[in-house]
Structures are given as C-alpha cells and as structure tokens.
Amino acid sequence: MASLVRARLPRKFPRALGLRAIQTSADTTQLADGADHSKPFTVKLHEDSFRSYLCEKPDLDVEVTKDQLLLMYRQMQTMRRMEMAADALYKAKLIRGFCHLAIGQEAVSVGLEHGIATDDRVITAYRCHPFAVLRGGTITGVMGELLGRQNGMSSGKGGSMHIFTPSFFGGNGIVGAQVPIGAGVSFAQKYMGENNATFALYGDGASNQGQVFEAFNMAKLWNLPTIFICENNKYGMGTSAERSSSNTEYFTRGDKIPGLQVNGMDIIATKQAVKFARKWAVEDQRGPLLLEFVTYRYGGHSMSDPGTTYRTREEVQRMRSTQDPIRGLQKYIEEWGLATEQELKQLDKNAKAEVDAAVEEAKASPEPRIEDLWTDIYFKGSEPPTMRGREREEVHRY
Amino acid sequence: MHTTKFTVRAAKRFPSAICRWNSTAVEPPPAGGHLPSIATSQVLRTTRDAALRTPGLSWADEDSSGPSRNIVGGRETRKMNTYQAVRDAMSIALMKDDNAVVFGEDVAFGGVFRCTMGLAEEFGKERVFNTPLTEQGIAGFGIGMALMGHTAIAEIQFADYIYPAFDQLVNEAAKIRYRSGGQYNVGGLTIRTPTMSVGHGGLYHSQSPEGFFMGASGLKVVIPRSPIQAKGLLLGSIRDPNPVIFMEPKILYRSAVEQVPIDDYELPLGKAETLIPGNDLTLLTWGTPVYHCETALHMLSSPSPSMEPLVPTSLRSAKVELIDLRSILPWDVETIVESVNRTGRLVIVHEAGMTAGVGAEISAEVQKRCFLKLNAPVKRVTGWDTPVALQYEKFHIPDAIRVLDALVETLTY
C-alpha cells in the first residue's frame, strides 16, 4: 500500500500543477455586463487565462473602455503592418543584416504598453521593433534604423536589434544579456527612490542562459522592482521549448520568485497581467515577479529562417486562423458592438497608410555620413588620437 | 622550535662557521642581492615633495571654475600602499558623488585585497554591498545602473574571473554608445580587478587578460604601477565618461608604498609616462614588470661580478628610456613612436603570453611607423604561451634577467 502511494505521488504532482493547460485562444473573453460603451465596462477573462506559481492570480474581471480597445486594435494592426513592411524591404534587399520580426506576438508588446506607466523602463532582446515604437519611438525611426538611414532611431548606426528611447533600453543582440542589465536598471530606480519598475523581456530560448538565473538571484536577493517577462513563442530559434528546456513551465523557473503564466494571445489578459505585475513590484513593493506570456511567432526566427523546417505549415496556419491576437480583439470589438467591421477596415487602412508613409520617409533619409563611422565610440573629446578605418591608409584623427 | 633545534645541532657540528657568523656585525646580504626592488625603487615617490610633483597630476578640488592651481603648498600626503590608495580613491568618489556605489564579491567585508576596507561602514550598506559570485551578472548589473546615469564601481575579484563577464563588457559596455547612436552610454561604469602574478597564484589567480580587451573600442583599459598612480588613475577612470576596466597589479597592493596626496586628484587616461629618459633604447612596460625593468637597468649599468662577462662593457653606459604605458586602451601611440624614433630600439615587457598579446599590437604599429628608424627588431619579453603554472610562476613571468638579456641582445643587434 505504502509503495503504491509512493509510486503514485510523482505522477500526481506534475499533473496537479499542470491540471489545466493555459488557454491561448484569443477570443474567449466574455462581456460581463451590457452597459453602454461610452463609460468603462467590465469583461470577464477565460478562467484559464492565468496559471500562478507562489502567488495569487490576477482578477478575471477587467475594466476596459471602448477607446482603449480600439487603440489597442489600431496599435496591434500598425505593429503588424510595420513588421510586414520590414519583411518586404528585407526581401527587396533594402534592409540588410539581421532582422527578427514579431508578427503574431503583438498582444505582448501592445498589452505591455497598456499596463505600464510612461516612466517604467523596458529592455528586451532582438525582437524589439514594436517596443521601440510604443515606448516613444516612431515607425519612421524604426524603419530608418532598419534601412540604416540618418533618421533611424540610432542614427542608422545600430540596425534592427539596436533601437532605444529614453525609457526603452533597447533591443539586445546577445541572447539573455539584457536580463542582468534590466536588474541593474531596476536597482538604480530603487536606489533613486523612483516609483516604477523595469520590465526585462527575454525569450524561451534565452531562459536557459546562465546570466538569466544570475539576474533572478540578485533581483530577489535585493527585492528589486524587476518584472522578468519570458515571451514564450515555443521555439528558441529552431528548437522547440520541449527539446531545449527540462522545465518548460517558464513561470516557475525563478525559484523563489513568484511567477504567472499568461495567455499571451489575448491582449486583455496580457494587459491585466502587466498591471498585476506592476502593482506587485511598485505599489506593494513585493520584489521581482516572473511573467510568462505564451505566444507564437508566425514567421521564422530571423529572415534567414523560413520557419517551416522545425514545425509544420499546418501548425502555423492553425495558430494564425484560431489564435491570432488581432483577430481575437476584432471579434470582441464586433461582438460587443464597439465598432462595425467597416470601421475596423478603415483602421486597418489607416495603419497601412501610416506605415507606408513612414517607409517612404525613411527611404528618403540619407545614409549615415562617412565621418560618423568614428563618432559615438568614446565620449566626445575623450577619444584616442586616431582610429583605424576601412582601408590600410584610412586613419581618422580626432 | 624546530628551527632552534636545527641551529643548535648545526652549531655543534660546525662550530667554527657559527662563530664566524656571530662575530660579524653586518647583516647578511638580502636573498635578491643588492639590486633595486619594489621596496627600494627609485620609481616610487616616497617624499611629500616628490609626490606632490607627480607629472600630469591635476587637482580635482571643489572649485573647478577657478584658475587651475599648480601650487603644492598646503597639500598633505600620507604614506599608503596601493590597496590603501585604491580605497582612498573610492572613498573620495563615494563622498563626492551620491550616485556612486561600490559592489562586488565580498567588498562589504573589505574585499580579498582589502581595497574596500571600512567603506561599507563609512558610506552604508546600500552603497557598498556584496554581490553573489556572479561575474556576468555583476557586469550586466553595473551596465544597467550606468545606463541610468549611476556611477557604478564594480569589482571582479580576480582578473582571471573576468571571462564570464567578457560578453557583457565587450558586447554591451563597449558598444552601447555606438549602437544607440549616442543616446545611451555607460560612462559611469568602472570595473576594478586585480591582475598579474603574485608569485603563487597559478592558473586562475595570476593571469593578465588586458590584451583580450584591446580590440574592444569603446572600452578603456588602465593599469597603474604604484599607489599615487592607482589613486589618480582610478579617480580619472571613475569620472571618465567611458566605461573603464581598471586592472590593479595585485603584488603591488602591499609592496608598493608611496607618499600619496590626500586631496582629490586625477591622472590622465591614454597617456604613457616616461620614468627614465634615454636615447639608446626604449623599454616599454606597465604594471608589475616596471620594477623588474628597473632592476634590469641596474644590472645593465653595474652587473654583479658573476654577470660581468655577460654584459659587454660598451653597453654599461647605455641610456635606456623606461616608459610606463599606464593605459592599454587607448594606448599612447604618440609618446611611444616619438621615443622609438629617437632611440631606434624597442623592448616591450608584459606578463601576459606573447602570442597576440598587447606587445604584438604595439610592435606591429611601431614597426609601421618607425620602420626606417629601427636599428633592431622590436623585442618582446613576455610570459610564455602556456597557462600560468603554479609551480613555475617565477619562471613564467618576465623577470629582470630575461629583460636584461633582451636589452643586451637588442643593443648589440
């Protein structure tokens, strides 16, 4: 009898934890009351929108407004259009180098922006274009950077993975490297008595990097307002989470840091989770929290990856047709009578027009000046006397 | 106890020898012979006046708007070794800059080399704190703080442990200004780390990794040779608007002692210092080997009787120019090239291995710029291209004899 119990226990525990899988459909949120939509109204998230580790779950009742939902729709649509434009420009060989698109993951970037405050800080990895725009950048600035033009947000000197705003510490090309930096940023916030938090994002692939755990430890040790966000799009480059991680429950990997797994395809759920995390770290000062957004990227890891060698086309198609975050929100808006299909089509057109105009503006900007090859390496005035250039005899004197 | 017994027994066996030993009043010669060592080095400034007249020193007193003062009257100095000078510099940085913090493994307890002794008590545990053993994390964390405008003074406990942080330093700290088009920088970041051999450090406590950072434009790398230099260069590094890796030769922490000005002062980064002027050969080094080079110069001009046959008489009056490079990145090309154009000969001494070491870069650049002025090939005296072995560390580092050999070879080429 005793041995029977022992034999059963290990099977029971994981099942108890994973009793119900996270819901990743984008359209299961219900209207809770039928109030008129000029005022804020309440909607109810699917009960499986969250799973928690060492903490309570966010409230399933979420207060939203018509304007907010329409803004989210417009922003997600614009971000997708922007990424699609980048895709086209890359294929036209106008954008060179590395380029990682976030098509399919719009609910994370837009949802994050709707849950945080302006002076919160965000740092992420290389899939960074939407965050750069939402954190105070412009589509022109992003496209200019991708094209390597002077009006790019880093003056055309960074490229796809290197875009910054005063509250956005950039894309980072090194897998996982942004996570301890995020912990340092939040330490400075705490030290200077700022009332805000840092959101440090990384992917399911980066979650196996040693320095991510180093950052977890320091943030928990010093009770820093760091929200670690694992954007789990199920594939770290070409390797699925199951093949790369012994524990794919990424929200439980912070050891003593509580975690929350979130339906990353429903923007109302992502916004609610981010608000919960912000309250946790800033208002309640409970230290770091680990959010895992379960999401999906439709494209390959980067432009050189067709994205179909390690997963089936059917899988991608199924995700696109059943769990798309934009379609999900569109369905809410139409079902709840916030806007007509016609009005939404107009928003789509506007998004496309905005992106097209930005692309043209970026294309019109000149490439960086040759002299700028040597600037921004050291603080102006503290450079070495000379710096070598592209050819044997090309030496720049400061 | 054991020694006493041995002495008594030895006295019985060799009574005459013991008697003679006792009968002379003079001290036995020191084990290293009568050569200058760190303790007696002329390079160290052991008087107040000499200390206050350190070349290149600029006072960083409160009133920066006033006319620059070169007067040394009224300035005080205190006898310090290198770790005390490093501590003094950090104390000034913490006192004057509320956003300055010091962190690293065990720094709140004073650090393994005592460089942060008492800082936590003086400035509080929020400003001087221990980190986990997490070098990559420390570097990343410091970069994050510096991005927010903080002054982050991080310690990597040994330069040998800097490799886990290499990615953060080379990919993030060095490039952030460039890749953000000048929007962000980590100028407030200074990484302090003890470097070079200690005599018994072995594979993981005696390495000199400065060369690995030499290609990382955006970073600065500084190595001081003495207490005065350590304080001035560290304050200069902390306030430099670029990230700086400050490598402190660990054997000099206690052995190098100088009178150090107690006021706030800086020494310039990117500038070499000519310690001994000369016209026959340029001897370039940094950190600990400065003192081995000084010893070698002494051997060259007045070799001991046993070495006399090895040093040609004609070389004894050779005037060798000894230069301390001080900044590895960016290195002072102008000073070195000007010197080699005058002397026609260059010997570079460093503790790191020869292949692709800092000496390789310098000799390549010097042979390009001074090609027609060179009278001998550029000679490098370095550690071997092996790991720093525990048992043979004394044979690994370029000591005075090897430097002397290189001087003789290069002067007679």
Side-chain angles (χ1 to χ4, degrees):
Chain A
M1 189 61 197
S3 66
L4 196 67
V5 171
R6 228 177 295 145
R8 264 186 190 172
L9 270 176
R11 267 175 50 199
K12 236 180 183 178
F13 272 122
R15 218 192 275 168
L17 189 66
L19 196 59
R20 299 176 74 153
I22 191 85
Q23 175 64 245
T24 57
S25 58
D27 56 358
T28 46
T29 301
Q30 300 289 320
L31 192 61
D33 53 28
D36 81 289
H37 300 316
S38 56
K39 288 190 228 119
F41 58 100
T42 306
V43 295
K44 192 171 180 62
L45 291 167
H46 190 282
E47 58 180 331
D48 292 331
S49 295
F50 306 113
R51 286 169 67 209
S52 72
Y53 167 72
L54 304 180
C55 67
E56 64 276 27
K57 287 184 197 173
D59 200 349
L60 291 175
D61 288 325
V62 187
E63 197 177 74
V64 291
T65 66
K66 175 185 166 183
D67 289 348
Q68 187 184 43
L69 293 179
L70 288 176
L71 178 63
M72 283 175 171
Y73 179 85
R74 185 171 68 81
Q75 286 175 327
M76 285 206 288
Q77 195 63 265
T78 313
M79 290 305 102
R80 181 165 295 182
R81 284 284 169 192
M82 176 179 76
E83 297 288 64
M84 286 162 68
D87 185 58
L89 289 169
Y90 198 96
K91 284 169 181 158
K93 293 192 162 55
L94 286 164
I95 294 173
R96 310 308 299 262
F98 290 87
C99 186
H100 307 82
L101 304 178
I103 299 175
Q105 301 180 207
E106 293 86 356
V108 176
S109 52
V110 178
L112 175 75
E113 192 54 38
H114 281 264
I116 65 180
T118 317
D119 56 355
D120 283 329
R121 306 303 201 285
V122 176
I123 184 166
T124 187
Y126 36 78
R127 213 173 297 286
C128 68
H129 311 154
F131 296 99
V133 176
L134 295 163
R135 286 270 86 197
T138 60
I139 299 172
T140 309
V142 169
M143 297 316 286
E145 196 54 44
L146 296 181
L147 289 160
R149 304 302 169 100
Q150 280 185 25
N151 68 359
M153 286 167 70
S154 299
S155 313
K157 297 174 73 170
S160 165
M161 303 181 282
H162 312 287
I163 317 181
F164 304 77
T165 76
S167 64
F168 176 58
F169 288 75
N172 275 267
I174 304 299
V175 173
Q178 74 281 8
V179 183
I181 294 179
V185 169
S186 63
F187 178 88
Q189 287 176 317
K190 188 176 178 178
Y191 185 95
M192 295 195 272
E194 288 185 16
N195 234 353
N196 44 44
T198 298
F199 294 78
L201 292 96
Y202 57 96
D204 49 300
S207 68
N208 295 322
Q209 283 278 340
Q211 55 182 329
V212 171
F213 295 93
E214 296 184 26
F216 285 170
N217 179 50
M218 284 189 281
K220 187 64 184 170
L221 185 66
W222 298 324
N223 210 39
L224 303 179
T226 323
I227 307 300
F228 297 102
I229 299 182
C230 176
E231 267 189 274
N232 176 8
N233 61 18
K234 305 204 176 82
Y235 297 91
M237 298 198 289
T239 304
S240 67
E242 290 72 22
R243 286 175 175 227
S244 73
S245 302
S246 62
N247 175 7
T248 55
E249 308 277 346
Y250 295 103
F251 66 113
T252 67
R253 290 177 74 167
D255 190 6
K256 287 179 129 184
I257 301 178
L260 195 65
Q261 192 181 40
V262 183
N263 174 0
M265 296 307 252
D266 184 342
I267 190 163
I268 299 175
T270 61
K271 186 207 121 184
Q272 181 73 343
V274 170
K275 283 190 85 138
F276 174 86
R278 193 178 189 281
K279 180 171 183 297
W280 177 283
V282 180
E283 286 165 44
D284 304 341
Q285 302 191 350
R286 293 171 78 176
L289 188 74
L290 209 169
L291 294 184
E292 175 192 347
F293 288 131
V294 183
T295 179
Y296 198 80
R297 73 168 141 75
Y298 297 161
H301 161 74
S302 69
M303 299 309 294
S304 53
D305 168 21
T308 48
T309 49
Y310 47 87
R311 55 184 186 182
T312 59
R313 284 176 199 281
E314 290 69 38
E315 178 187 307
V316 180
Q317 206 43 53
R318 194 180 66 244
M319 293 302 287
R320 268 183 184 276
S321 57
T322 63
Q323 305 192 358
D324 185 72
I326 300 181
R327 278 204 203 184
L329 181 59
Q330 181 186 353
K331 198 172 157 218
Y332 296 157
I333 290 173
E334 288 176 9
E335 274 184 10
W336 302 340
L338 306 178
T340 63
E341 196 184 341
Q342 223 49 38
E343 285 166 319
L344 290 180
K345 282 229 167 89
Q346 189 56 45
L347 285 181
D348 296 351
K349 271 189 193 161
N350 294 352
K352 187 173 183 307
E354 186 184 349
V355 170
D356 288 348
V359 168
E360 289 315 310
E361 197 185 335
K363 272 189 191 165
S365 176
E367 289 177 352
R369 298 174 309 149
I370 293 293
E371 304 91 274
D372 283 336
L373 180 62
W374 289 283
T375 58
D376 299 325
I377 299 171
Y378 290 96
F379 179 74
K380 211 174 167 63
S382 73
E383 302 97 343
T386 59
M387 190 75 75
R388 288 173 185 161
R390 301 160 299 175
E391 299 162 357
R392 196 159 62 102
E393 292 311 317
E394 185 179 31
V395 174
H396 180 75
R397 291 185 181 279
Y398 287 101
Chain B
M1 195 62 192
H2 189 85
T3 320
T4 318
K5 254 191 223 160
F6 176 80
T7 314
V8 171
R9 216 181 294 150
K12 274 184 193 156
R13 220 180 272 175
F14 308 109
S16 61
I18 292 295
C19 281
R20 212 171 72 197
W21 205 90
N22 283 341
S23 68
T24 50
V26 292
E27 287 283 301
H34 289 292
L35 286 166
S37 63
I38 297 172
T40 56
S41 170
Q42 296 299 304
V43 166
L44 294 168
R45 294 170 178 265
T46 50
T47 65
R48 172 177 171 274
D49 199 53
L52 293 176
R53 293 183 194 284
T54 299
L57 181 150
S58 61
W59 301 106
D61 290 340
E62 324 278 335
D63 186 17
S64 56
S65 58
S68 72
R69 301 190 300 159
N70 270 331
I71 13 164
V72 296
R75 303 275 184 188
E76 291 304 321
T77 61
R78 198 167 64 229
K79 190 175 169 183
M80 293 184 205
N81 59 26
T82 311
Y83 82 69
Q84 290 162 333
V86 167
R87 187 216 179 270
D88 196 40
M90 283 191 280
S91 164
I92 289 173
L94 286 163
M95 194 156 41
K96 289 199 169 176
D97 177 358
D98 284 344
N99 278 334
V101 291
V102 170
F103 56 95
E105 295 160 12
D106 284 353
V107 298
F109 311 137
V112 285
F113 290 104
R114 301 175 156 244
C115 292
T116 50
M117 279 289 279
L119 287 179
E121 289 76 11
E122 199 177 334
F123 296 99
K125 292 264 181 206
E126 345 31 80
R127 300 188 63 196
V128 181
F129 53 92
N130 290 339
T131 62
L133 312 185
T134 177
E135 287 78 17
Q136 191 174 18
I138 292 171
F141 187 79
I143 290 166
M145 290 174 67
L147 281 173
M148 291 284 280
H150 249 57
T151 306
I153 307 169
E155 179 180 295
I156 299 291
Q157 198 166 55
F158 282 86
D160 312 64
Y161 309 165
I162 210 163
Y163 302 118
F166 195 71
D167 167 61
Q168 283 286 350
L169 295 172
V170 172
N171 271 328
E172 306 297 332
K175 297 180 176 57
I176 187 80
R177 188 188 301 277
Y178 192 89
R179 70 193 191 86
S180 68
Q183 276 184 87
Y184 276 107
N185 71 81
V186 289
L189 177 70
T190 307
I191 305 269
R192 290 180 42 248
T193 187
T195 188
M196 297 193 181
S197 67
V198 70
H200 49 264
L203 291 101
Y204 294 154
H205 294 82
S206 282
Q207 296 175 74
S208 306
E210 68 268 20
F212 293 116
F213 293 97
M214 209 176 183
S217 288
L219 286 180
K220 292 192 174 184
V221 180
V222 176
I223 303 180
R225 67 164 188 276
S226 74
I228 294 178
Q229 297 288 317
K231 180 175 170 182
L233 289 170
L234 181 53
L235 280 167
S237 299
I238 291 168
R239 292 165 183 162
D240 190 275
N242 302 289
V244 181
I245 299 176
F246 191 81
M247 296 184 170
E248 300 158 1
K250 63 178 87 70
I251 195 128
L252 304 180
Y253 273 136
R254 289 159 181 273
S255 59
V257 180
E258 284 184 313
Q259 285 290 333
V260 178
I262 57 171
D263 290 334
D264 185 356
Y265 68 92
E266 292 171 21
L267 288 166
L269 270 52
K271 288 267 176 280
E273 184 185 353
T274 304
L275 303 179
I276 302 172
N279 287 315
D280 297 326
L281 182 145
T282 304
L283 179 55
L284 175 65
T285 187
W286 52 91
T288 314
V290 166
Y291 302 96
H292 303 316
C293 288
E294 191 191 12
T295 308
L297 293 182
H298 200 270
M299 287 174 169
L300 181 72
S301 58
S302 45
S304 64
S306 60
M307 289 176 69
E308 262 184 8
L310 302 169
V311 182
T313 327
S314 60
L315 300 185
R316 296 192 189 160
S317 57
K319 293 272 178 272
V320 174
E321 181 149 295
L322 177 61
I323 300 181
D324 175 6
L325 190 63
R326 300 199 290 191
S327 282
I328 307 303
L329 177 68
W331 63 284
D332 189 351
V333 187
E334 267 66 26
T335 299
I336 311 309
V337 165
E338 186 279 325
S339 173
V340 178
N341 274 335
R342 259 189 299 110
T343 63
R345 294 179 161 89
L346 175 62
V347 173
I348 304 168
V349 183
H350 61 65
E351 282 197 8
M354 182 179 286
T355 304
V358 175
E361 170 62 25
I362 295 176
S363 49
E365 188 66 18
V366 164
Q367 69 84 20
K368 191 188 102 177
R369 297 209 193 194
C370 311
F371 190 65
L372 296 175
K373 295 284 178 73
L374 283 173
N375 296 318
V378 176
K379 180 90 183 163
R380 288 177 281 161
V381 187
T382 68
W384 310 119
D385 281 347
T386 62
V388 185
L390 177 62
Q391 288 296 58
Y392 305 111
E393 197 163 310
K394 280 196 163 61
F395 302 111
H396 183 93
I397 58 171
D399 63 1
I401 300 283
R402 281 171 59 197
V403 176
L404 174 68
D405 187 49
L407 292 175
V408 171
E409 189 187 315
T410 306
L411 284 166
T412 56
Y413 183 82

